[in-house]
Amino acid sequence: MLGFCCGSIWFCPVLLVLMLAVCGGNVVIQRDAQFDMTYYDTVTSDNQTIYSYNHTVSRNKTEGVRVSVELLSESAPSPVLFVVRQKQAVLSFQVPLILRGLYQRKYQYTQVGRTLCQPPTKALAETQFFYVDVSTLSSAGVHYQLRVSRVDSFTLQTDKKFSFNATPSQPQFFKYVFPDGVDTVIVKVNSQKNFPCSVMSIQDIQCPVYDLDNNVAFIGMYQTMTTTAAITVQRKDFPSNSFYVVVVVKTEDEACGGPLRFYPLLPDELLDAGNRSKTLDVIVSPAINSEVYVMGMLFCLGIFLSFYLLTFLVACVESKRMNRKREGLLNADASPAETGKASVSPYEYGSFADNGSTLSSEAVTDSLASTDGNYGCMGSETFKRRIIAAHHVAIRIDRSLESVARSRQESLSSVEEDDYDTLVDIDSDKNIVRTKKFLCVSDLSRKDKRILSKKYQIYFWNIATIAVFYALPVIQLVITYQTVVNVTGNQDICYYNFLCAHPLGALSSFNNILSNLGYVLLGLLFLLIILQRDILHKRALERNDSTALECGIPKHFGLYYAMGTALMMEGLLSACYHVCPNYTNFQFDTSFMYMIAGLCMLKLYQKRHPDINASAYSAYACLAAVIFFSVLGVVFGKGNTVFWIVFSVIHILATMLLSTQLYYMGRWRLDSGILRRMLNVIYTDCIRQCSGPMYIDRMVLLVMGNIVNWSLAAYGLIKRPNDFASYLLAIAICNLLLYFAFYIIMKLRSGERIQCLALVCILFTAVVWGFALFFFFQGLSTWQKTPAESREHNRECILLSFFDDHDIWHFLSSIAMFGSFLVLLTMDDDLDTVQRDKIYVF
C-alpha cells in the first residue's frame, strides 16, 4: 500500500496532500496565500505547511518578489526549514540562519529576508506559481511569521538613486538592463556608515543568485566596501544585456579594516551579531564613450609631442645663433682683406696652424666664401692669388691636424684607466693633488678622456641590460594579475581609483596606464638631445678644438644616456604597476625612481670629479642593495622592531662611510688600522691642537647630509611607517635635493653664473614639481589599508572626464623629471669657454 501511494504521487497531483499524509505520517496543509499579507503560524515535526502564490510575469517588465521570515519562538531545539519552489529555481534556507565568521565563529539570525530569482520568460505575459514549504524536525511547536511582498523599483533606472536597507541575513539585489546606445555603465553604491562591512557584487541573470556572505564571491565581480564601492560594467560581458546588482552585509568587519571580535569560549557557541543593519544608496550611470577615449589619447600625445616641437625650435634658434657667432669670428679673421691688403701670405696662416689654431680647410674656405663680395670689386688676378694662398693654407692645416691626431692615437692606444691607479709614483701624485686645500677641475680630470668615456658608457649598457631582465618578468607577472582579476572577479586584488577607472580590452584602468606615456616619450627626447650634443662634442674633438679639449666641465655622456633610459623604464614599469596596483608590486613603480635619484647624484658629483667617480658596477651594486632593502621593508617591515633597528644602523653606517669617502676624495683605506688612524686624527686635530676642518665647504655639505640622514633614520625607527618603499624613496630624494642645493650655492659663491636657458629650466622645473607634488598627495588610493578603506579615497575624474589626480601627477612628474635632467645638462654651460684650471671643485 505504501509503495502504491508513493508511486501514485506523480500520477495523481490532485491527491498530493492526502498521499503525503498517508505515506509520511505527517499532516500537510496547503494554503492559497496573498502578496503583502503577514501570516503567523506554528510548525512541528508532525505537520508541514505549503503556501501557494501566483503572479503574472511579463517579458518586458521584471517584478521582484521578496520572502521575509521571522522566528517568533525564543528557543527552538531544531531550526525551521523554508523551501521556495519556483518554475525554474529552488531557494532554501533555515531559521535561525547560521553564518560563519573567522576562526569558525557562528552567528545566528532569527530574521531572514531573501529576494527570489526571476528567470526570464519567452512569453509576452505568463502566470507563474511558486510555493513556500515550511517544515521542522522539532516536536515542540515553533512559531514563525511569513510575508511575501512585491519589490518596488526592483529594476534600477539609469542615473536614478535608490535607497535600501540590508543586513547579513537580509541581503538585497536588483536588476539593471542596458539601455539602447549604452555599452558601459558604472555602478556606484554609497553609505553614510563605514561599518558594518559589506560587499557589492555584479552577477549575470541566472539562478540561483549568490547573495549570502559565504557564497557572494562564487561568481561575477565583487568588492568589499565601507562607504563607497564602484564597478564598471560592460555590455559585452553579459549576453542578456542585463545583470544583477547584489549587496551583502558581512558578518564581521575584519575584511574592511574593522576590529576583530573576541574568540568564542566554546567551539559551537552561537554569538549574537547585534545590530548590523546598513542603509545604502545605489545608482547606475553611463560611463564614457569612445570619443572620450580618443580625446584622452590625443591629449596625452599632444602634450608630449609639443615638447619635441619646442625642442626643435630651440635647437633651430640655437643653431642660428651659433652660425652668427661663427660668421662673426670668420669675418674678424678676414678683416685684413677689408682694410685693403692686396694679398694674404700663406705663411701667416701657416703660423696659426702651427700654434694649434682650430681653423680647418672648411673654415678657411667658408671665410673666403663669406668675403666673396669684397673680392668681386678687385681684379681677377688678385682673386686668383688669394684662392691659391687659401689652398696652400688648407693643405698645411689638414696635414698638421692629421699628424697631431695620429700621434695622439698612437700614444693612447694602449692606455687603460688602471695603468694610472697601479703605478706608485702616480698614486703618490694623486695623494698630493687630491689633498690640496683648493682643487680645480683640471686636478681631477687628468685621466685619458677616451678611457673615461668608455667607463661611463658602461652605465648605459648596464642599465639597458638591467631593464630587459627586470621588465620581462614584471610584464609577465602583471598580465597574470590582470588575468586573475578578470577570471575570479575579485576586485579587491587591485587598488584602483574605481570612480575613474576606464577599461580597455582586458585592462581595467587604461587611463592610469596611458598617462605614463610621458615618461617614455620625454626619456626618448632626452636621449636624442644627448645624442646630438655627443655628436657635436666628438666632432669638436676630431678637429682638436682647444675649447673642447681644455675648457669647461669634461663632457662624458654615459650617465646622461643611463638617466634617459631610466626615465623611459620608469614609465614602462609604472604602467605595469598600474595594471594592477597593490603592495606586492609597488616596487615596480619605485625601483627605477631609486635608479634615477642615484644617477642624478652621481652625475652631479661626476661634473667636477670625473676621475674619481664611482664605477658602474659599484653604483648599480649599491642601488641593488637599496632595492633589496625595499623588498624586505615591504614584506617584513610593518611593525617589525628588529628590522627597523637593523636598517637604521645600516643607514647611519653607510652615511658615515660615504661622508668619509667624499671628504677625503677616496684617499683613505677601510682596513684593520682604521680605528688607530681615527684615534690619531682625533688626538692631533682635536686634543693636541684644536684646528678647524681643512675642507670647509665639503665639511658643511657632509654635516648637513649627516643631520638629514640621521634624522630620517630616527624618524623611521620611531614612527615605523607602513609604506617603507616611499620612505626609502624620500631618503634618496632628500639627499639629491640637498646635494643639488649645495651645488647651486657653491657655483654662485665661486663667481660662476647660470645662463638664461638653465635658469628658465630651473624655474620651470621647480614650478612643475610643486604642482606635481600637490596632485601626488591627493591620495586616491592606498594599499596601506584594506581595499574597502582605500576606496574611501576614490574620486571622480577631473580632466576630460578621463584622467584623475594621479594621472595628472604622471603628466607633471614626467615633465618635471625631464626638466630636472635639462637642468643637470645645461647648468654648467657658462663654463664652456673657461679653462679647467680656473673651475673650482666643490
Side-chain angles (χ1 to χ4, degrees):
M1 182 66 180
L2 180 61
F4 171 77
C5 291
C6 294
S8 300
I9 292 175
W10 305 104
F11 302 100
C12 304
V14 178
L15 302 177
L16 174 62
V17 175
L18 179 61
M19 294 299 165
L20 287 174
V22 174
C23 295
N26 295 334
V27 177
V28 179
I29 304 172
Q30 181 168 336
R31 295 180 178 179
D32 292 332
Q34 302 295 323
F35 283 94
D36 299 318
M37 287 189 63
T38 303
Y39 295 92
Y40 298 90
D41 210 337
T42 302
V43 64
T44 66
S45 58
D46 297 328
N47 65 4
Q48 179 180 354
T49 305
I50 301 176
Y51 298 87
S52 176
Y53 293 87
N54 70 84
H55 66 133
T56 302
V57 179
S58 174
R59 184 173 60 189
N60 299 325
K61 181 182 178 181
T62 302
E63 186 179 58
V65 177
R66 188 166 181 82
V67 178
S68 300
V69 176
E70 181 179 358
L71 201 64
L72 301 179
S73 300
E74 293 185 359
S75 60
S78 298
V80 178
L81 178 64
F82 291 83
V83 180
V84 182
R85 294 179 286 115
Q86 298 174 262
K87 181 179 180 180
Q88 298 181 11
V90 175
L91 172 67
S92 63
F93 56 88
Q94 69 174 48
V95 183
L97 181 66
I98 306 299
L99 296 177
R100 292 182 181 272
L102 290 176
Y103 309 110
Q104 301 302 314
R105 279 187 288 257
K106 297 179 181 179
Y107 301 91
Q108 69 172 358
Y109 299 89
T110 58
Q111 294 183 1
V112 179
R114 305 291 295 276
T115 303
L116 301 185
C117 176
Q118 298 296 317
T121 179
K122 295 181 180 180
L124 183 63
E126 178 184 0
T127 300
Q128 292 186 359
F129 290 86
F130 67 92
Y131 305 92
V132 181
D133 301 348
V134 184
S135 60
T136 184
L137 294 179
S138 174
S139 57
V142 181
H143 302 285
Y144 65 89
Q145 170 187 318
L146 171 67
R147 181 182 179 89
V148 177
S149 57
R150 291 181 172 90
V151 179
D152 296 331
S153 302
F154 178 72
T155 301
L156 299 174
Q157 303 299 316
T158 305
D159 287 329
K160 289 186 179 179
K161 183 185 294 186
F162 178 72
S163 299
F164 60 93
N165 292 323
T167 68
S169 61
Q170 297 173 321
Q172 299 271 12
F173 68 85
F174 307 92
K175 183 180 180 181
Y176 180 80
V177 180
F178 282 96
D180 294 337
V182 176
D183 294 327
T184 307
V185 296
I186 179 170
V187 182
K188 305 174 187 176
V189 177
N190 300 294
S191 176
Q192 298 297 322
K193 297 168 57 178
N194 291 69
F195 300 105
C197 177
S198 53
V199 178
M200 191 255 281
S201 172
I202 303 296
Q203 300 179 20
D204 200 359
I205 304 296
Q206 62 182 14
C207 298
V209 177
Y210 297 95
D211 59 350
L212 290 176
D213 184 22
N214 56 8
N215 62 18
V216 69
F218 284 1
I219 64 171
M221 300 178 289
Y222 65 93
Q223 55 183 231
T224 56
M225 66 166 287
T226 52
T227 60
T228 302
I231 295 180
T232 300
V233 185
Q234 301 181 78
R235 183 195 290 263
K236 66 180 181 65
D237 296 329
F238 296 92
S240 62
N241 295 328
S242 57
F243 57 86
Y244 284 139
V245 179
V246 183
V247 179
V248 178
V249 176
K250 294 183 72 65
T251 57
E252 295 175 336
D253 298 328
E254 191 269 342
C256 295
L260 193 62
R261 293 173 62 90
F262 54 85
Y263 290 91
L265 298 179
L266 299 175
D268 296 326
E269 181 183 2
L270 295 176
L271 303 177
D272 183 12
N275 181 18
R276 294 189 64 80
S277 177
K278 191 170 187 177
T279 302
L280 305 105
D281 301 326
V282 60
I283 184 171
V284 183
S285 305
I288 61 175
N289 54 30
S290 58
E291 295 179 357
V292 180
Y293 277 85
V294 174
M295 184 65 67
M297 288 186 281
L298 291 177
F299 174 80
C300 186
L301 285 172
I303 285 181
F304 300 112
L305 291 181
S306 64
F307 280 87
Y308 282 77
L309 178 60
L310 180 61
T311 302
F312 177 75
L313 294 177
V314 171
C316 290
V317 172
E318 187 69 14
S319 177
K320 185 176 291 186
R321 186 182 68 84
M322 294 300 296
N323 287 336
R324 288 178 180 175
K325 184 177 179 180
R326 190 181 298 111
E327 288 176 1
L329 293 175
L330 293 175
N331 290 334
D333 292 337
S335 60
E338 297 176 358
T339 56
K341 280 191 177 182
S343 62
V344 179
S345 171
Y347 297 102
E348 296 176 11
Y349 284 102
S351 64
F352 286 123
D354 294 338
N355 291 331
S357 172
T358 61
L359 289 176
S360 63
S361 59
E362 293 85 352
V364 175
T365 305
D366 292 342
S367 175
L368 292 173
S370 64
T371 57
D372 186 38
N374 294 331
Y375 288 122
C377 62
M378 300 181 183
S380 59
E381 293 296 326
T382 304
F383 183 75
K384 289 180 180 179
R385 287 197 300 270
R386 292 183 179 273
I387 290 295
I388 293 171
H391 180 67
H392 287 296
V393 171
I395 291 174
R396 294 191 59 186
I397 292 175
D398 287 343
R399 289 177 177 174
S400 176
L401 294 179
E402 288 176 4
S403 62
V404 171
R406 188 182 302 112
S407 62
R408 179 176 178 82
Q409 282 206 338
E410 290 174 355
S411 63
L412 296 177
S413 60
S414 62
V415 174
E416 295 292 340
E417 184 188 3
D418 292 339
D419 292 343
Y420 288 102
D421 293 333
T422 56
L423 297 177
V424 178
D425 53 342
I426 298 297
D427 192 75
S428 175
D429 184 45
K430 282 197 283 190
N431 287 328
I432 296 172
V433 170
R434 297 180 190 175
T435 54
K436 292 195 305 184
K437 187 169 185 179
F438 299 103
L439 280 172
C440 296
V441 171
S442 58
D443 297 324
L444 297 179
S445 58
R446 308 173 69 194
K447 294 181 179 179
D448 177 59
K449 298 175 181 59
R450 293 186 305 119
I451 303 303
L452 285 181
S453 179
K454 290 181 180 179
K455 170 186 175 181
Y456 292 123
Q457 283 296 331
I458 297 176
Y459 274 96
F460 168 70
W461 292 113
N462 278 10
I463 200 170
T465 306
I466 292 170
V468 171
F469 281 93
Y470 193 90
L472 290 179
V474 166
I475 294 173
Q476 181 182 6
L477 180 62
V478 296
I479 290 175
T480 303
Y481 266 118
Q482 186 66 74
T483 303
V484 170
V485 172
N486 295 339
V487 171
T488 64
N490 182 5
Q491 299 208 352
D492 282 353
I493 297 175
C494 306
Y495 287 71
Y496 301 118
N497 175 19
F498 288 91
L499 295 179
C500 187
H502 305 301
L504 182 65
L507 300 173
S508 299
S509 185
F510 173 70
N511 54 299
N512 291 146
I513 298 172
L514 176 66
S515 58
N516 288 283
L517 184 64
Y519 297 104
V520 179
L521 291 180
L522 294 182
L524 178 61
L525 178 58
F526 184 73
L527 288 177
L528 294 177
I529 294 173
I530 296 303
L531 179 62
Q532 188 256 357
R533 284 209 171 199
D534 194 5
I535 292 173
L536 293 179
H537 181 65
K538 286 180 178 178
R539 289 178 179 175
L541 292 179
E542 287 174 358
R543 63 173 183 264
N544 282 344
D545 190 334
S546 60
T547 302
L549 291 170
E550 302 173 2
C551 297
I553 299 296
K555 302 293 191 299
H556 300 292
F557 296 97
L559 272 169
Y560 284 128
Y561 285 119
M563 289 161 57
T565 305
L567 184 58
M568 295 179 66
M569 287 305 303
E570 171 59 29
L572 175 62
L573 293 179
S574 178
C576 290
Y577 165 71
H578 284 90
V579 169
C580 182
N582 57 67
Y583 84 99
T584 60
N585 59 14
F586 183 59
Q587 59 163 316
F588 303 159
D589 195 24
T590 56
S591 294
F592 274 82
M593 290 185 185
Y594 303 139
M595 293 267 193
I596 291 173
L599 291 173
C600 287
M601 282 189 281
L602 285 171
K603 186 59 195 178
L604 268 177
Y605 189 76
Q606 183 212 47
K607 280 178 172 289
R608 309 207 179 211
H609 310 78
D611 284 0
I612 61 174
N613 202 22
S615 68
Y617 306 110
S618 58
Y620 287 129
C622 293
L623 291 173
V626 171
I627 295 175
F628 174 73
F629 274 105
S630 174
V631 175
L632 290 181
V634 170
V635 177
F636 304 108
K638 191 173 182 178
N640 192 329
T641 305
V642 175
F643 171 81
W644 280 101
I645 292 175
V646 172
F647 175 77
S648 299
V649 170
I650 294 175
H651 183 192
I652 292 173
L653 289 177
T655 302
M656 295 174 64
L657 291 175
L658 183 60
S659 300
T660 307
Q661 176 75 13
L662 295 177
Y663 185 78
Y664 290 106
M665 294 285 185
R667 309 317 302 154
W668 69 291
R669 295 188 306 274
L670 183 60
D671 53 20
S672 58
I674 184 67
L675 292 177
R676 177 178 53 81
R677 292 194 297 272
M678 288 175 59
L679 294 175
N680 187 36
V681 170
I682 294 173
Y683 174 74
T684 55
D685 291 351
C686 300
I687 299 177
R688 187 174 180 180
Q689 57 178 8
C690 187
S691 59
M694 183 176 180
Y695 313 109
I696 298 178
D697 295 335
R698 267 180 266 168
M699 179 59 72
V700 171
L701 168 66
L702 296 175
V703 168
M704 293 173 60
N706 275 268
I707 291 175
V708 169
N709 281 278
W710 285 52
S711 301
L712 289 170
Y715 172 82
L717 189 59
I718 296 172
K719 295 293 184 179
R720 301 172 198 168
N722 293 330
D723 190 356
F724 181 79
S726 297
Y727 167 76
L728 204 57
L729 184 61
I731 293 175
I733 292 176
C734 287
N735 283 276
L736 174 59
L737 292 177
L738 177 65
Y739 189 25
F740 180 77
F742 172 81
Y743 191 96
I744 293 293
I745 292 172
M746 293 303 300
K747 180 178 177 65
L748 298 176
R749 185 168 173 263
S750 301
E752 301 172 10
R753 62 186 181 86
I754 300 176
Q755 288 188 341
C756 180
L757 179 60
L759 185 61
V760 169
C761 289
I762 291 174
L763 296 177
F764 172 76
T765 302
V767 172
V768 175
W769 268 125
F771 283 104
L773 291 175
F774 170 79
F775 286 102
F776 175 76
F777 287 113
Q778 294 304 303
L780 302 182
S781 61
T782 171
W783 46 261
Q784 301 176 51
K785 300 180 180 179
T786 63
E789 291 174 307
S790 173
R791 277 185 279 274
E792 296 176 13
H793 303 279
N794 289 177
R795 284 204 292 272
E796 302 281 351
C797 304
I798 63 172
L799 180 62
L800 301 177
S801 299
F802 191 75
F803 298 110
D804 60 16
D805 299 73
H806 197 73
D807 294 323
I808 298 178
W809 149 254
H810 287 160
F811 291 147
L812 295 180
S813 62
S814 61
I815 295 171
M817 285 187 184
F818 176 70
S820 302
F821 289 1
L822 291 182
V823 170
L824 290 176
L825 181 64
T826 61
M827 64 190 303
D828 285 320
D829 284 353
D830 60 301
L831 303 176
D832 284 347
T833 57
V834 180
Q835 293 288 331
R836 289 173 187 164
D837 57 359
K838 297 180 181 178
I839 303 175
Y840 292 105
V841 172
F842 41 78

